[in-house]
Amino acid sequence: AVSWIPLAMWSVGMVLCQTEQELLAGVTPALMVYILAAPWACYTSGIIAAVPLVLMGALHCLLFLPLPSENPDSNPFHVSLRRALRSFVKLLSDPISGYGESGDD
C-alpha cells in the first residue's frame, strides 16, 4: 500500500501547478501511477478496486486529445505529445552516423 503522506504531498503539488511546463511534468507521473497501481489493485483487492484507477488513467489520457478541434495547438498536452512523436520518428528515420559504415562487412 502507498503511504498517504507522499501521495498527499504529490496531490497538493499537482493542484498548485501554474505553468504549462509544470502541468506537463505532473501528468506523466500521474499516468504512471495509475498504470502501475491498477494491476496491483486488481491482484490484491479484486477488479472493483482497480476500476477507479483505470477511470482516472483514462481521464488523464483524454488530456492529450487534439481538443478543441478548431485549434488543437492551444492544447499544451497535445502539442507536447506531437513534438515527442515527431522527435521519435526523426530518430528512427535518420541513421546514426558511423554505425555500420566500416568497410569490413
Side-chain angles (χ1 to χ4, degrees), residues 40-79:
W40 179 256
C42 185
Y43 176 73
T44 59
S45 302
I47 198 160
I48 298 300
V51 169
L53 295 169
V54 170
L55 288 175
M56 290 303 294
L59 289 175
H60 275 79
C61 286
L62 290 177
L63 291 172
F64 292 94
L65 289 176
L67 298 173
S69 59
E70 55 272 351
N71 187 12
D73 290 335
S74 66
N75 184 350
F77 299 103
H78 175 68
V79 171

Side-chain angles (χ1 to χ4, degrees), residues 3-101:
S3 176
W4 68 273
I5 294 173
L7 190 58
M9 291 170 40
W10 176 69
S11 298
V12 168
M14 286 288 292
V15 170
L16 297 177
C17 289
Q18 296 179 357
T19 65
E20 289 180 2
Q21 294 302 325
E22 290 173 346
L23 287 171
L24 291 171
V27 168
T28 305
L31 282 171
M32 290 181 64
V33 166
Y34 296 133
I35 288 171
L36 296 174
W40 179 256
C42 185
Y43 176 73
T44 59
S45 302
I47 198 160
I48 298 300
V51 169
L53 295 169
V54 170
L55 288 175
M56 290 303 294
L59 289 175
H60 275 79
C61 286
L62 290 177
L63 291 172
F64 292 94
L65 289 176
L67 298 173
S69 59
E70 55 272 351
N71 187 12
D73 290 335
S74 66
N75 184 350
F77 299 103
H78 175 68
V79 171
S80 70
L81 179 66
R82 193 173 57 203
R83 186 181 319 120
L85 288 175
R86 283 184 184 160
S87 173
F88 184 69
V89 168
K90 183 179 177 187
L91 175 71
L92 292 178
S93 64
D94 292 340
I96 300 172
S97 63
Y99 183 74
E101 294 178 3

